[in-house]
Each structure stands twice: as C-alpha cells, then as structure tokens.
Amino acid sequence: MDIVKAVGTRKSIRGFKPDPVSKELLRNILSIACRAPSGSNIQPWEFTAITGDVLESIRQDNARRYRSGATPAPERPTSEKLPGSVYRVRQVELGSQLFRLMGIARGDDEGRIHWRERGVRFFDAPAAIIISVDQSLETGALLDIGIVAQTICLVATQYGLGTCIEGQGVAYPDILRKRLGIPASKRIIISIAIGYPDWDFPANRIESTREDVDDITTWYGFD
Ligand SMILES: Cc1cc2nc3c(=O)[nH]c(=O)nc-3n(C[C@H](O)[C@H](O)[C@H](O)COP(=O)(O)O)c2cc1C
C-alpha cells in the first residue's frame, strides 16, 4: 500500500473481530514503526503490548473504575475542556457522529455511559499497545510519542489491522501499573487498541471531517 493510500485509509476503529493478533505481527509492526523520527533521535517511546487474560483483566478493572464515577487521571496534558471554541465544535461533531451511528439518542444517559465504557475497555480489541516515556523527559518527548503512534497506526493499516489511538485506555494509570508492572519512573502517555476491524460495527462507518487546507494554511512566497 502506498503511503498516500495508507494515510487516507486509516481511520479510528472502535469495533473489532475477536481474531487474535499474533506477537510476531505486532513485533513486526512495532519494529517498522520505530523508524519514526524523534528529536535528537532520543527514541523516548516504550511499548507494552497486551492481549489475552491480562488485557481482559485490565478491561474489567477499567470498566469497574469508570462505572464507579472515578475521575480519569491521565499522565499526559489533555485538552478535554474546550468550552466555546472551534475545537469544542469539532469535538461535539465527532460525538454526534458516533452517537448517531450507534443509535444513542440525545438524553440516553445509559447509552452514553455504555459507549464510554467500551472506550475504557479498548473497544474490546484483541490487543492493545501502551506507550510510556521515562519521567525524566520533558513534555517535548510527547511530540515524538505522537509521531510513533501515528506511524504504528499506518503500518498496521498495511497489514489489514484497525487501530484507535486512545486516551480512554490510559485514563486510570494505576490499574495499568498494577497489572503490567509499569514502574512509577515511567509516564503512561497513550494507548492504541488494535485488531482486525469488524466492518459491520456501526461506529466503524464514521468518516471524520477535516478543515479545508486553505483555511488552516498561510502561504508566503508562492505564486
Ligand atoms: C491523542 C489521541 C487520543 C484519542 N483518544 C481517543 C479516545 O479516548 N477514544 C476514542 O474513541 N478516540 C480517541 N481518539 C481518536 C480520535 O477521536 C480520532 O483520531 C479523530 O476523531 C479523527 O478520526 P479518525 O482517527 O477516524 O481519522 C484519540 C486520538 C488521539 C490522536
């Protein structure tokens, strides 16, 4: 698959077939994605790949914590609160698209809770990747993490896999630390749910929108 097709084909997948993803395939994807650039080539990313019983126990812990009403405690800077901004408009549009596809009506609180619970359950993907960085690194390393995360998703596309980069998966870092032995010296940044897409799952029909490039680009010195 050429790179333009891969970028155009990748989309966030939120419903997966149960088919397992082999360690060999995930290892191959991660080793290719590690060709991603990073500032001064520091390669700050550290991966924890999870499947099977351990992933299932994390799903259950996350879901229980979410249902308890616990406040998420992400270890990366987030921009969840966006009142009155164009960013909020885009965020609301995404939510509306997903709820419409999933048949979750306005005012259906339990439907919304159930949907968010699916998020902390890694959308029931057969595998997930947690990306961490050493606590000694400044926030600049987060840019490198974003680059490698997208590279993983693009490489996965080549192998017919679907991905969703997910803040929800790492909303409760203490659960991941306990289940995966990730030490306090590492900052847990983001997760990627990964598996074979279930194309019959309604949310996977989403076509997220983008601004027109001419509205977000300033040109100087061109004809
Ligand atoms: C840093 C980051 C965190 C994200 N967290 C979540 C998440 O917790 N739950 C979710 O459903 N999607 C999450 N997404 C996916 C975005 O919603 C998605 O990328 C965006 O809507 C664009 O859609 P597309 O990926 O299908 O092109 C995240 C994406 C990024 C880059």
Side-chain angles (χ1 to χ4, degrees), residues 10-12 14 94 123 164-168 190 208 210:
R10 186 219 58 84
K11 66 194 294 194
S12 291
R14 299 180 176 89
L94 172 71
F123 298 108
C164 187
I165 299 177
E166 261 205 278
Q168 284 176 292
I190 200 74
S208 60
R210 294 294 189 275

Side-chain angles (χ1 to χ4, degrees), residues 102-155:
M102 293 303 298
I104 301 169
R106 192 178 283 271
D108 178 1
D109 293 340
E110 179 51 32
R112 285 170 185 237
I113 288 169
H114 183 70
W115 174 252
R116 294 195 188 103
E117 185 180 327
R118 279 186 60 79
V120 301
R121 290 178 54 84
F122 299 93
F123 298 108
D124 288 336
I129 299 162
I130 309 295
I131 312 182
S132 314
V133 297
D134 198 84
Q135 293 276 14
S136 64
L137 295 170
E138 303 292 330
T139 49
L142 300 186
L143 186 56
D144 304 329
I145 298 304
I147 293 170
V148 83
Q150 165 72 337
T151 308
I152 292 168
C153 296
L154 291 177
V155 177

Side-chain angles (χ1 to χ4, degrees), residues 32-45:
I32 295 167
C34 280
R35 295 304 307 171
S38 57
S40 302
N41 199 25
I42 65 167
Q43 306 164 62
W45 39 75

Side-chain angles (χ1 to χ4, degrees), residues 17-166:
K17 293 181 182 161
D19 313 28
V21 183
S22 72
K23 178 179 176 184
E24 190 191 11
L25 179 53
L26 270 185
R27 196 181 170 283
N28 191 31
I29 290 169
L30 291 175
S31 69
I32 295 167
C34 280
R35 295 304 307 171
S38 57
S40 302
N41 199 25
I42 65 167
Q43 306 164 62
W45 39 75
E46 295 182 32
F47 306 123
T48 310
I50 336 165
T51 191
D53 290 348
V54 64
L55 178 55
E56 193 49 42
S57 56
I58 292 169
R59 279 194 234 286
Q60 288 176 18
D61 287 355
N62 274 358
R64 214 173 294 117
R65 183 74 64 83
Y66 171 70
R67 286 270 175 186
S68 77
T71 309
E75 297 184 351
R76 72 182 199 291
T78 59
S79 22
E80 306 285 302
K81 302 248 181 307
L82 310 162
S85 65
V86 64
Y87 312 111
R88 176 69 184 152
V89 171
R90 293 173 190 158
Q91 186 185 46
V92 168
E93 185 193 355
L94 172 71
S96 307
Q97 278 182 298
L98 286 169
F99 290 148
R100 206 176 315 118
L101 285 166
M102 293 303 298
I104 301 169
R106 192 178 283 271
D108 178 1
D109 293 340
E110 179 51 32
R112 285 170 185 237
I113 288 169
H114 183 70
W115 174 252
R116 294 195 188 103
E117 185 180 327
R118 279 186 60 79
V120 301
R121 290 178 54 84
F122 299 93
F123 298 108
D124 288 336
I129 299 162
I130 309 295
I131 312 182
S132 314
V133 297
D134 198 84
Q135 293 276 14
S136 64
L137 295 170
E138 303 292 330
T139 49
L142 300 186
L143 186 56
D144 304 329
I145 298 304
I147 293 170
V148 83
Q150 165 72 337
T151 308
I152 292 168
C153 296
L154 291 177
V155 177
T157 304
Q158 160 82 24
Y159 292 97
L161 287 162
T163 54
C164 187
I165 299 177
E166 261 205 278

Side-chain angles (χ1 to χ4, degrees), residues 182-214:
I182 299 174
S185 58
K186 307 294 171 188
R187 192 140 65 113
I188 297 172
I189 306 299
I190 200 74
S191 64
I192 304 177
I194 186 163
Y196 295 95
D198 174 358
W199 291 114
D200 292 331
F201 189 75
N204 289 344
R205 291 204 299 269
I206 193 162
E207 293 295 340
S208 60
T209 60
R210 294 294 189 275
E211 297 302 308
D212 191 295
V213 72
D214 289 320

